[in-house]
Amino acid sequence: MRQLLLAGLLVMCGCTTPHVKESPDRSLETRWDAITDILGAKVRQTIDQCSDSLRYPRSTSSDGTWRTVEIRDWTSGFFPGILWYMHELTGEKTFEQSARRWTEGLTPLQWYAGSHDVGFMVFCSFGNGYRLTHDESYKAVILQAARTLATRFNPTVGCIKSWNNPKWDFPVIIDNMMNLELLFWASQNGGTQDMYAIAVRHAETTMRNHFRPDGSTYHVLDYDTGSGRVISRVTHQGYADNSCWARGQAWALYGFTMSYRFTRDPRFLETARKAADYFLDHLPPDHVPYWDFNAPDIPDEPRDASAGAVAASGLLELCGYIDDAPARERYFQAGIAILESLSAPPYLMAKSSVPGILQHSVGNKPGGGEVDVSLIYGDYYYIESLLRHRRLTAHDAAQNAR
Ligand code: GLY
């Protein structure tokens, strides 16, 4: 049965079928309708609460309402992406109508060269919209956004510059791996070979410089623009320069898995596994990480459910690329375990009236903001993980019915 489950995921990711066995935990499936109802109610609540689509929900305030941001905030693409995922999950036309409205509000971002995050902003919104509708106007926006992102690449450094912040010369954050999906996809869908080459080079440089020998990652590397040498390895959102910020590690896991999907470069798969192994070896018993794996007051530190959601989604893809059966099984079970945990209290609260889906995430603890809140990107990757899980089980059910 497991073999069939993974075959479904592999079709989705365009890979070959591995040899696997044993059946997975089915408890998510038995609660599927209840979970979908909770998601539907919360997303409809967000649509009502954020009726001004010039501003986008980012994180919840202490009273539980959404704090909203303008379209240039790095998080603007996630709510449109959630609406596309809800349309995919439920088939409800109203979600598609809202998804179109919220996605199209981001059209000017295709020209926005002020941050590497144009990848998140445009690919989560227009990328999902194009995947589900094949609307050619969406594809044009994606291709232009990829051209814009490519302008931030510096061949001497071998990376895309993350932020324009005078505190650093040429900062590159581990999160930047996620923005490569826009370039990889565009290069294979009407874009240029240069886009592919830039994405590969960025991943290679990150693989070389962002990892410690134990598989944990630094958050920010500052490069010298002129020579390309590393000036410093520091943190911005983690506990300390030498600690491992949980969401950064999840971005690494997911980002290198995605890079392997497009390139089939075994070095990227190896790097994704290194990131995953560190992440899994440092989880608490409920499988949801503390906000930093080295935070000083564990177990009295806040969890970061968003890091769990990113990692769960990445693991459900990663397991499909692994030939070694025990390792494949470990990644698959770990992805399901995180998802199971997130799908129950205290992370998913059925009776809660707040519109955020996952409770207990941390945006930027050292910055004093968004501690123990709902984050829109946590919700986005949580729903993506559920969809990945459903594709596996739907494929399994279809095979068993034959
Ligand atoms: N990419 C910014 C963050 O993960 O908080």
Side-chain angles (χ1 to χ4, degrees):
M1 180 181 291
R2 174 64 51 75
Q3 187 165 4
L4 298 173
L5 288 174
L6 279 171
L9 182 65
L10 293 169
V11 166
M12 185 181 107
C13 301
C15 349
T16 53
T17 309
H19 306 289
V20 281
K21 48 184 183 296
E22 297 174 35
S23 55
D25 186 333
R26 291 300 203 183
S27 62
L28 261 184
E29 287 159 66
T30 61
R31 287 159 46 224
W32 190 262
D33 289 345
I35 292 171
T36 308
D37 286 350
I38 296 170
L39 300 186
K42 285 179 178 286
V43 174
R44 274 187 281 273
Q45 206 178 335
T46 301
I47 294 172
D48 291 345
Q49 200 184 93
C50 304
S51 54
D52 171 6
S53 62
L54 292 175
R55 293 190 63 83
Y56 286 67
R58 171 177 163 136
S59 58
T60 50
S61 310
S62 52
D63 65 0
T65 58
W66 283 111
R67 191 168 74 81
T68 60
V69 288
E70 56 96 32
I71 67 170
R72 288 185 179 201
D73 187 271
W74 78 276
T75 61
S76 61
F78 294 113
F79 187 57
I82 284 174
L83 292 166
W84 287 116
Y85 281 157
M86 287 306 293
H87 172 53
E88 193 175 2
L89 194 65
T90 64
E92 274 183 43
K93 199 75 189 157
T94 53
F95 286 127
E96 184 192 346
Q97 285 158 357
S98 293
R100 283 189 179 277
R101 193 166 67 89
W102 287 85
T103 294
E104 289 161 20
L106 300 183
T107 303
L109 291 176
Q110 65 188 302
W111 309 105
Y112 178 52
S115 157
H116 66 142
D117 285 324
V118 71
F120 275 121
M121 293 141 117
V122 168
F123 208 66
C124 298
S125 53
F126 287 93
N128 280 307
Y130 182 73
R131 182 174 62 81
L132 295 172
T133 65
H134 297 289
D135 183 327
E136 286 299 316
S137 70
Y138 288 4
K139 185 176 181 178
V141 172
I142 298 167
L143 289 175
Q144 179 51 48
R147 285 191 281 276
T148 301
L149 179 58
T151 64
R152 296 186 65 82
F153 179 72
N154 175 323
T156 305
V157 174
C159 278
I160 293 160
K161 186 176 182 177
S162 295
W163 299 323
N164 300 341
N165 184 332
K167 187 171 164 188
W168 294 292
D169 186 2
F170 191 103
V172 179
I173 62 174
I174 189 66
D175 326 27
N176 204 336
M177 284 301 301
M178 300 295 286
N179 293 310
L180 303 184
E181 190 166 6
L182 173 71
L183 289 175
F184 277 129
W185 187 91
S187 74
Q188 295 175 358
N189 290 276
T192 62
Q193 194 53 32
D194 275 3
M195 295 172 179
Y196 184 87
I198 287 171
V200 168
R201 183 85 193 283
H202 183 103
E204 286 173 339
T205 307
T206 303
M207 179 177 73
R208 206 168 42 247
N209 293 334
H210 256 87
F211 281 81
R212 304 185 186 97
D214 64 0
S216 66
T217 48
Y218 293 97
H219 184 200
V220 186
L221 260 69
D222 191 20
Y223 290 94
D224 179 78
T225 307
S227 68
R229 88 182 159 81
V230 177
I231 299 171
S232 61
R233 291 177 166 88
V234 296
T235 196
H236 182 60
Q237 282 158 265
Y239 165 63
D241 294 344
N242 267 316
S243 73
C244 183
W245 176 50
R247 196 165 55 254
Q249 193 70 12
W251 293 140
L253 185 176
Y254 189 121
F256 278 97
T257 301
M258 173 274 295
S259 298
Y260 180 74
R261 183 201 318 152
F262 285 101
T263 61
R264 302 296 148 155
D265 185 329
R267 295 172 307 160
F268 295 159
L269 186 60
E270 206 44 49
T271 306
R273 288 189 62 174
K274 253 172 49 175
D277 290 345
Y278 183 93
F279 194 96
L280 298 181
D281 289 347
H282 292 80
L283 286 179
D286 80 349
H287 312 284
V288 178
Y290 292 97
W291 69 282
D292 188 299
F293 289 113
N294 307 106
D297 293 325
I298 290 172
D300 297 320
E301 293 277 357
R303 303 303 182 98
D304 183 10
S306 77
V310 173
S313 191
L315 288 162
L316 289 178
E317 179 172 3
L318 176 62
C319 64
Y321 299 136
I322 308 293
D323 289 331
D324 172 60
R328 183 173 57 238
E329 181 69 9
R330 168 170 146 86
Y331 298 137
F332 180 77
Q333 290 297 350
I336 298 294
I338 297 171
L339 197 48
E340 291 277 356
S341 200
L342 292 177
S343 300
Y347 303 106
L348 183 70
M349 303 290 283
K351 294 219 163 62
S352 162
S353 60
V354 298
I357 293 169
L358 289 185
Q359 314 296 307
H360 307 301
S361 290
V362 172
N364 184 353
K365 191 161 186 288
E370 301 181 325
V371 177
D372 202 18
V373 295
S374 296
L375 294 169
I376 198 72
Y377 39 98
D379 293 356
Y380 174 89
Y381 288 101
Y382 172 64
I383 303 177
E384 183 180 274
S385 310
L386 289 170
L387 279 164
R388 287 183 171 188
H389 176 271
R390 186 179 75 167
R391 286 191 193 104
L392 295 170
T393 50
H395 183 273
D396 179 47
Q399 292 290 330
N400 284 340
R402 286 190 185 154

